[in-house]
Amino acid sequence: MISVYNIKPKFQQLIKPVMEFLHRKKFTPNHITLIALIGSILTGIFVYLDTGWFYLLVVPFYLFIRMALNAIDGMMARAYNQQSALGEVLNELGDVLADLAIFYPLLLKFGMDKHPNLLVGFIALMIINEFVGVLGKAMGGERRYEGPMGKSDRALFFGLLCLVVFLFPVVLPWIYYLIILVVLAMLVSTIARIKNSLNA
């Protein structure tokens, strides 16, 4: 299925010099993972506290940085033989916590507190989607990344959505329907990951 993950190899080539620079500066994959998580928490706090529209620019800017950091930690671990059980735990748990830290306050800004069932559905499926991805590896196969609306897809979608809302605030009332589509897409992704894990 279509996913931003499909273009990951080209993205990794672009950021390889950054990875090499960070390695020379004695950063480890776990350092990068923790930096991404801390940055996500700080971004989420800013979104929650911001009383204007500046958060609509901060979120896409940071989501791009986080996508790069998420790629770099894995690249660094493989390239310099720094893979570890702790790193895998930090990576998987950090991704879920980082998503929660950013998307929960962002959805509140978008008025989803008025639709609690949809908000809960989004959060639940976001967590389940990543859990099912890890489950593929636990079942003896590989980590599943099928989209639509996997981790990278969500980052790209909400980054673009923030920019659209900033430029065209008139679309704000339509976000409710877009979030419904996102939830449905995550459901499709979750089912695809389960099927592919069982068929591996």
Side-chain angles (χ1 to χ4, degrees):
M1 286 188 180
I2 187 168
S3 171
V4 174
Y5 186 76
N6 295 333
I7 63 171
K8 188 175 180 179
K10 292 184 178 180
F11 183 59
Q12 288 176 330
Q13 289 179 347
L14 290 174
I15 61 176
K16 186 176 180 180
V18 179
M19 177 202 72
E20 294 169 343
F21 170 80
L22 291 172
H23 177 69
R24 290 195 299 271
K25 296 300 180 180
K26 307 301 182 185
F27 284 89
T28 68
N30 290 352
H31 290 149
I32 304 301
T33 303
L34 289 173
I35 289 171
L37 175 57
I38 292 169
S40 298
I41 293 171
L42 293 176
T43 300
I45 291 172
F46 177 81
V47 171
Y48 185 77
L49 296 177
D50 186 38
T51 57
W53 294 93
F54 189 56
Y55 73 92
L56 291 170
L57 297 178
V58 171
V59 169
F61 175 75
Y62 180 72
L63 285 176
F64 177 79
I65 292 176
R66 186 186 152 205
M67 286 176 68
L69 292 174
N70 283 344
I72 287 171
D73 61 5
M75 291 166 58
M76 186 180 289
R78 291 186 294 271
Y80 302 110
N81 195 28
Q82 294 178 318
Q83 294 166 308
S84 67
L86 176 60
E88 191 163 358
V89 170
L90 287 175
N91 185 58
E92 295 295 348
L93 184 59
D95 281 342
V96 173
L97 293 176
D99 277 353
L100 283 171
I102 293 177
F103 295 139
Y104 179 71
L106 183 61
L107 289 173
L108 293 182
K109 287 286 189 179
F110 286 159
M112 290 303 107
D113 54 322
K114 299 180 181 64
H115 307 282
N117 291 336
L118 183 58
L119 179 61
V120 170
F122 177 94
I123 297 299
L125 264 175
M126 183 180 70
I127 295 172
I128 292 169
N129 187 248
E130 295 308 308
F131 170 76
V132 170
V134 177
L135 193 60
K137 191 171 184 178
M139 293 167 63
E142 59 183 20
R143 185 24 167 120
R144 309 307 310 189
Y145 293 99
E146 287 84 359
M149 281 300 151
K151 176 181 63 180
S152 298
D153 304 314
R154 290 192 297 270
L156 178 62
F157 174 84
F158 280 101
L160 292 175
L161 181 60
C162 285
L163 292 176
V164 170
V165 173
F166 180 79
L167 295 172
F168 308 103
V170 69
V171 305
L172 199 54
W174 293 93
I175 289 182
Y176 168 76
Y177 302 101
L178 292 176
I179 299 303
I180 290 176
L181 292 178
V182 170
V183 169
L184 292 175
M186 286 195 292
L187 180 60
V188 170
S189 172
T190 300
I191 293 171
R193 291 182 182 192
I194 292 173
K195 287 178 63 177
N196 290 335
S197 294
L198 292 173
N199 295 331

